[in-house]
Amino acid sequence: RQAWRRPQPAAGTASWVRSHGNTFVVGFWVLVVLLGLLAAGVAGGLPSPRWQGAGGGQAPTGASFAAASGGTSGAAAGGPALSAAPSTPAARIQAKGSSEAPVVVVATLFPLADLVRQVAGPAVQVVTLLPPGASPHTFEPSPGLLQQVAKARLLVYVGAGLDDWGAEMARSANPHLVVLEGTRVVPTLPVVAPHVGGGPGPDGARQGPAHAGDDEHPHGGVDPHIWLDPIRMRDDLAPAVARALAQVEPARAAEFQTNLKRLQASLTALDADIRYQLRGLKERRFIAFHGAWQYFAARYGLEQVASIEASPGQEPSAAWMADLVMTARKLRVHVIFAEPGFSPKAAQVLAGEIGGRVVMLDPLELGETGRDTYQSRMREAVATLARALKGGR
């Protein structure tokens, strides 16, 4: 028998492999490259979302988008008509995952900013315009603040001459900005004219020297310190903030209403805590550093009989101090509240004349939004006030 042998290719076949093998390998890799290019072309050919204005250009982003939209959507605000046009599921996914500039709201003072923050929730960026250590009565905004206002869609300010610099910035930096003036949506009290040791003021309480009259507060002498009454904040200002937020961000209107109800419940609890702390006071009359506490006093049965500052940011004159001494002696006032960030010298001089005591009391004009809350700061201030009126320091 012949041994089994592996079959050998024919001479023609071996010659073909040797002559065409390299061509076959090259062709295989060319096919792989073509398949890769085809896959990339299909993915790259999917249309991406495009935002077009009336002229077909790209939509502005950041500050220019906020200014163009004017705080509302579409052509109703006078800005460009914005439309998203993703035509495939992949494009819609890309549009959903794209980054959008957050809604920016600016508020002049901490109490307003924190109220906005609690109604708006985390989806809205809230900026406080008044920097630490500044007084809203004497503050002069820098040009840098105009950039913050230009990015915003809503401005919340007190009004009544306290922080009208905020409205002036809004008019110059962003004419389409939605503006909410607190003293136009909250029942207000008039600024009490200087009145030494006489009868009751407009709210039934005896009044002494207070702010200057209409020259300091151009809106008919309205007291601007509305935030020191939590019931006005709950029933009037907070709902107005929710309505304003819904105007600039209508898609979240239901969320704003939910947050509003939560905030109002918290302010109801704050009011109950304040009434509990003010039980058993030895005195109900006091002299304030400036006339900030009229709303609080009217709400809770106290009397702010006078203020050390004749007008915001103005040192008291000798004649004014003499009137304060006469008022305090006549009404038997012994508690004088000074303010953090201001010299207590005048308060100490007055206390020495009447045998009174000086206590630091914060009117909540300043604070750090996000770290402090309006409710916590009010509780701290009321604890200080109650301790002083009960005979402590």
Side-chain angles (χ1 to χ4, degrees):
R1 294 182 181 177
Q2 293 183 348
W4 180 84
R5 294 181 179 179
R6 183 185 300 275
Q8 300 294 322
T13 302
S15 175
W16 185 89
V17 169
R18 285 193 300 271
S19 61
H20 294 85
N22 292 337
T23 303
F24 176 78
V25 172
V26 171
F28 172 77
W29 286 111
V30 168
L31 179 61
V32 170
V33 172
L34 288 175
L35 289 173
L37 292 174
L38 180 61
V42 171
L46 291 175
S48 59
R50 294 178 296 172
W51 298 84
Q52 293 184 341
Q58 295 296 319
T61 58
S64 60
F65 175 83
S69 66
T72 57
S73 61
L82 304 180
S83 60
S87 57
T88 68
R92 286 193 290 270
I93 292 173
Q94 181 178 350
K96 183 178 180 180
S98 61
S99 60
E100 297 180 359
V103 174
V104 178
V105 177
V106 292
T108 52
L109 308 184
F110 160 76
L112 306 187
D114 191 61
L115 198 75
V116 173
R117 180 189 63 81
Q118 294 187 56
V119 175
V124 175
Q125 179 183 350
V126 183
V127 178
T128 307
L129 295 179
L130 187 70
S135 169
H137 298 276
T138 58
F139 177 63
E140 294 183 5
S142 65
L145 284 180
L146 292 175
Q147 298 179 0
Q148 298 281 6
V149 177
K151 296 176 184 178
R153 298 175 65 184
L154 170 64
L155 166 71
V156 182
Y157 77 114
V158 176
L162 176 69
D163 54 355
D164 287 354
W165 43 265
E168 293 171 3
M169 279 199 303
R171 283 191 290 267
S172 60
N174 190 345
H176 300 291
L177 192 67
V178 176
V179 176
L180 173 61
E181 182 179 356
T183 49
R184 293 195 179 276
V185 297
V186 171
T188 58
L189 296 173
V191 174
V192 180
H195 181 69
V196 178
D203 62 350
R206 291 179 179 270
Q207 303 291 333
H211 284 306
D214 294 352
D215 292 339
E216 283 295 334
H217 301 287
H219 295 307
V222 170
D223 186 339
H225 303 93
I226 54 176
W227 64 88
L228 289 173
D229 180 359
I231 300 303
R232 280 177 167 84
M233 294 284 272
R234 181 193 70 186
D235 295 346
D236 302 296
L237 189 57
V241 166
R243 291 191 297 269
L245 287 168
Q247 182 178 348
V248 301
E249 190 72 356
R252 291 195 171 99
E255 176 185 344
F256 298 149
Q257 286 299 316
T258 299
N259 295 340
L260 171 64
K261 290 182 174 61
R262 184 183 302 115
L263 171 60
Q264 289 176 317
S266 176
L267 294 176
T268 298
L270 172 62
D271 173 66
D273 289 348
I274 292 173
R275 295 182 185 279
Y276 181 82
Q277 289 196 60
L278 295 180
R279 296 185 310 167
L281 299 181
K282 293 175 62 177
E283 300 182 56
R284 307 196 75 85
R285 295 171 175 159
F286 61 89
I287 294 175
F289 178 76
H290 82 282
W293 293 90
Q294 181 185 190
Y295 288 97
F296 184 89
R299 176 66 60 188
Y300 297 107
L302 306 178
E303 296 182 15
Q304 175 186 277
V305 301
S307 61
I308 293 175
E309 282 192 345
S311 60
Q314 178 182 335
E315 289 290 329
S317 65
W320 188 267
M321 290 296 293
D323 285 345
L324 286 174
V325 171
M326 183 173 65
T327 299
R329 287 175 175 169
K330 184 172 184 177
L331 298 180
R332 296 186 177 90
V333 177
H334 303 98
V335 177
I336 305 160
F337 291 122
E339 286 185 19
F342 296 91
S343 171
K345 183 178 179 180
Q348 292 167 348
V349 170
L350 176 60
E353 291 289 331
I354 65 173
R357 56 189 179 276
V358 178
V359 178
M360 286 289 176
L361 182 63
D362 181 7
L364 278 69
E365 292 174 345
L366 303 176
E368 185 174 336
T369 305
R371 188 189 70 178
D372 302 322
T373 66
Y374 167 76
Q375 294 94 318
S376 66
R377 294 285 300 281
M378 277 294 292
R379 284 185 170 92
E380 292 172 3
V382 172
T384 299
L385 184 145
R387 186 167 54 248
L389 294 178
K390 289 177 181 179
R393 293 184 179 271

